Amino acid sequence: MTDEHTMNRRALIKGLMGAGAAGAGLSLGGCTQSEPPTYGNLLRMGDWLTYKAQRLLIPKAGLVREYDRSQISSIMAIGSTDPANQNGPFYSSEFGDAYAKLRQNDFADWRLIVEGAVRRPASFSLADLQALTRRTQITKHTCEEGWSAIAEWTGVPLRTVLEMVGIQPAARYVQLYAYDAVAEGIDMIDALHPQTILAYGMNGQMIPQGHGAPLRARVETQLGYKSIKFLRRIVVTEKFESLDKLSGLGAGFSWFAGI
Ligand SMILES: Nc1nc2c(c(=O)[nH]1)N[C@H]1C(S)=C(S)[C@@H](COP(=O)(O)O)O[C@H]1N2
Ligand SMILES: [Mo]
């Protein structure tokens, strides 16, 4: 573990120095597949530098601040608030109806699929997830649109679920897919972060419809758009793949949104 960590740091330092050289007009060809995105576009080079810089400087398991109950504030439900609504933003003709059916039955038949670069692909009911050791955290949500709000979230660490399915040694990214046409990816550092949870509870209740029922991600180290609501499927991958094209939300958003 220590060796690997040292290796990674060396690779990162080399990467950072390489980024400086790239600014001087050297080839970027080396970082297309396994690195977070520049989208082959020099103008997106900042994404990559930010990623490298943060990954180098931030201690791996540094926790974001948690708040007291008294600091909980009202939080808007924004973006897609109902995947079943055909007129809502990011409506998915593929999954919107399925969501409506699952909701009719209080999500009793809902399952979270976890697959990809894992040893034991699995699906989890809400009861399965609720039976696992839970974590409750009061955190500040920061939206790219310029507002923030504090809420309490309860759920199971994504790490627990990933350990259950057994990630392959080469796994590096985790892609989160929703019942609307929204999907986002995070890297393994954020995926295994102790405060990255799959939340079914909010402020002591089951997560309300607008905030992502029955299950949403809370990725506290990233801007709000990485905290995918209405989760449907999680795919572990070895290679970086931008979901920009697929996601109604992602188009034009920086892949790395660390805060
Ligand atoms: N499936 C899905 N997840 C999503 C969104 C969305 O539209 N659909 N919006 C994102 C954005 S930009 C923000 S700021 C938060 C909003 O969460 P809230 O509605 O609970 O405040 O959800 C994020 N997750
Ligand atoms: Mo947002």
Side-chain angles (χ1 to χ4, degrees):
M1 190 64 201
T2 313
D3 278 359
E4 194 187 305
H5 187 61
T6 314
M7 284 282 293
N8 284 343
R9 285 179 71 92
R10 276 207 202 110
L12 287 177
I13 290 164
K14 268 173 79 182
L16 264 177
M17 289 162 65
L26 291 175
S27 162
L28 295 173
C31 62
T32 46
Q33 264 311 322
S34 60
E35 304 292 347
T38 60
Y39 305 105
N41 180 345
L42 255 183
L43 294 176
R44 300 304 292 263
M45 202 56 212
D47 292 357
W48 186 76
L49 241 192
T50 305
Y51 177 84
K52 287 293 191 190
Q54 294 224 20
R55 278 345 189 197
L56 183 65
L57 298 173
I58 292 174
K60 270 191 181 169
L63 297 183
V64 307
R65 179 169 171 198
E66 296 191 15
Y67 297 80
D68 295 329
R69 285 237 157 76
S70 64
Q71 291 170 290
I72 291 175
S73 60
S74 79
I75 174 168
M76 325 186 243
I78 66 142
S80 169
T81 52
D82 180 1
N85 178 3
Q86 297 190 15
N87 301 315
F90 319 128
Y91 173 74
S92 158
S93 52
E94 203 179 348
F95 297 109
D97 287 355
Y99 183 85
K101 288 213 185 77
L102 291 168
R103 181 173 57 195
Q104 259 171 27
N105 210 9
D106 263 345
F107 298 108
D109 301 318
W110 172 93
R111 294 289 181 279
L112 176 72
I113 295 164
V114 186
E115 59 189 356
V118 302
R119 280 192 274 273
R120 298 171 295 275
S123 70
F124 298 84
S125 69
L126 217 44
D128 292 337
L129 295 172
Q130 286 172 321
L132 300 170
T133 305
R134 62 186 61 185
R135 180 183 171 98
T136 291
Q137 58 202 30
I138 302 174
T139 50
K140 186 187 270 177
H141 177 97
T142 303
C143 170
E144 75 295 341
E145 287 178 10
W147 58 271
S148 60
I150 294 170
E152 181 190 74
W153 305 99
T154 299
V156 56
L158 176 55
R159 179 180 198 126
T160 304
V161 170
L162 293 177
E163 280 168 356
M164 286 176 78
V165 296
I167 56 174
Q168 306 276 10
R172 290 192 57 192
Y173 299 97
V174 176
Q175 314 280 44
L176 309 168
Y177 293 87
Y179 273 97
D180 55 7
V182 164
E184 277 288 347
I186 57 177
D187 68 19
M188 221 24 106
I189 298 174
D190 282 334
L192 299 178
H193 190 282
Q195 288 164 313
T196 298
I197 65 173
L198 303 175
Y200 43 75
M202 178 187 181
N203 297 336
Q205 318 262 313
M206 293 302 280
I207 285 197
Q209 167 66 62
H211 291 289
L215 190 79
R216 77 175 296 166
R218 289 300 312 166
V219 184
E220 308 292 0
T221 47
Q222 299 274 326
L223 284 175
Y225 60 83
K226 293 285 182 178
S227 286
I228 296 299
K229 307 192 278 188
F230 323 110
L231 281 174
R232 170 171 71 78
R233 176 170 169 246
I234 291 179
V235 182
V236 177
T237 66
E238 296 179 3
K239 290 202 173 126
F240 177 80
E241 189 195 337
S242 171
L243 300 178
D244 256 31
K245 297 270 155 23
L246 204 148
S247 176
L249 197 65
F253 282 16
S254 167
W255 179 83
F256 185 73
I259 46 178

